[in-house]
Amino acid sequence: MGETPYREYPAPHDLRRFVECFWTIRTRVPEEERTTQLVLPDGCMDVIFDLGAPTKPRATAVGTMTRPLPVEVVGSVHLFGARFRPAAATAFLPLPARVLTDRVVPLDDLDGWRSEELAERLGEARCDSERVASLSEALRTRLDEGAGRIDPVVFRASEHLLTKGGRGRVDDLADWSGIGRRQLERRFLAAVGVSPKFAHRVARFREVVSLMHGPEPISLSCMAHVAGFADQPHMTREFNALAGVTPAAYRRSISPVHGVG
């Protein structure tokens, strides 16, 4: 699988608590070289602007994913998006996160987004730094209106979970959060789109993917140990469930198109 030009940009300081990054993919793939890239679950939600659409720019919201999403890459590809931190997207997308889980919906279907006008500005921008600035401005407006929709308990719990790399138990996370397990599960579904148990799995999965994309080679058995799996077969089962391929197969065909949803 060929490398697709993929770049990430940090969010401005005032948005960094809520926006994990801005990202872009820009390439041209001839018809005879069309390929499929895997978009992997990462516990996040995104807004994506398709600036290479043949007619007019299109904007979509991508909910938290529980399974890999295969995306066909062919023709002129130019995507620009923002990836929200877990539990932060509700400030920008006025729906419970569970409504969008495993779904891709037009951004215009969500109240308050003037997505066509915004997509045109992004498409006309001279460079990615201008796109980051334009989308940041739109997100600040959404944040001013929707910050109160963020569940502070789940927001902090999600940050804690990622910091620990998915290690520990749901009961431990509930105790750390100061609320009961059942309440934590209900609030996770509303704010993140998945259960805290699934969020644990994804956080640990993200750690393995990060190790694979790291600068130093590392054995699969060592990855399993570092990420807190019982053993390598345990890691393989979990990785296969979330990525649709084994860790070894993914590493052989590694692609930077990951972490959307």
Side-chain angles (χ1 to χ4, degrees):
M1 187 182 297
E3 293 271 305
T4 298
Y6 170 84
R7 296 189 66 182
E8 292 183 354
Y9 303 97
H13 182 75
D14 61 323
L15 292 175
R16 208 159 290 175
R17 282 198 71 204
F18 312 102
V19 179
E20 185 167 295
C21 68
F22 295 93
W23 57 268
T24 185
I25 300 170
R26 190 165 192 174
T27 189
R28 179 176 292 277
V29 179
E31 175 69 31
E32 63 274 14
E33 297 178 16
R34 68 168 59 216
T35 186
T36 299
Q37 305 280 3
L38 286 179
V39 181
L40 306 181
D42 65 357
C44 300
M45 299 169 67
D46 292 64
V47 290
I48 302 175
F49 296 84
D50 183 352
L51 307 179
T55 52
K56 63 178 182 179
R58 295 174 295 177
T60 55
V62 181
T64 307
M65 291 162 35
T66 65
R67 53 183 179 268
L69 176 68
V71 176
E72 188 175 62
V73 181
V74 65
S76 177
V77 178
H78 186 191
L79 304 178
F80 187 81
R83 180 172 307 132
F84 303 116
R85 295 190 182 279
T90 50
F92 306 96
L93 305 173
L95 285 173
R98 64 176 179 273
V99 176
L100 293 174
T101 299
D102 285 325
R103 294 182 61 200
V104 179
V105 301
L107 204 52
D108 273 344
D109 287 358
L110 306 180
D111 291 340
W113 279 93
R114 301 172 64 180
S115 62
E116 185 172 333
E117 176 184 325
L118 179 55
E120 288 179 359
R121 287 208 309 273
L122 296 175
E124 292 168 359
R126 292 170 297 179
C127 60
D128 284 339
S129 61
E130 289 188 2
R131 295 184 184 96
V132 168
S134 290
L135 187 48
S136 294
E137 180 182 357
L139 293 180
R140 288 188 185 100
T141 299
R142 303 295 299 172
L143 185 60
D144 288 342
E145 299 168 354
R149 291 193 296 265
I150 294 178
D151 185 324
V153 172
V154 177
F155 186 73
R156 289 193 299 268
S158 296
E159 289 183 325
H160 180 70
L161 186 59
L162 289 176
T163 299
K164 292 181 68 66
R167 295 170 185 81
R169 303 175 306 154
V170 175
D171 286 340
D172 297 332
L173 187 62
D175 291 342
W176 183 89
S177 302
I179 60 176
R181 175 169 177 155
R182 289 188 178 180
Q183 187 179 3
L184 183 69
E185 289 174 347
R186 288 194 298 269
R187 290 168 69 165
F188 248 81
L189 284 171
V192 182
V194 295
S195 69
K197 182 177 181 179
F198 193 86
H200 268 276
R201 294 174 61 196
V202 171
R204 193 158 50 177
F205 170 73
R206 283 183 65 163
E207 183 142 333
V208 175
V209 172
S210 178
L211 290 169
M212 288 189 179
H213 285 267
E216 298 296 330
I218 180 172
S219 70
L220 293 179
S221 60
C222 187
M223 284 183 195
H225 175 73
V226 170
F229 289 96
D231 50 30
Q232 185 176 333
H234 180 205
M235 181 185 75
T236 298
R237 290 192 300 272
E238 278 289 280
F239 197 99
N240 195 41
L242 290 170
V245 294
T246 65
Y250 178 79
R251 187 160 63 172
R252 284 195 300 268
S253 59
I254 205 160
S255 162
V257 185
H258 65 87
V260 181

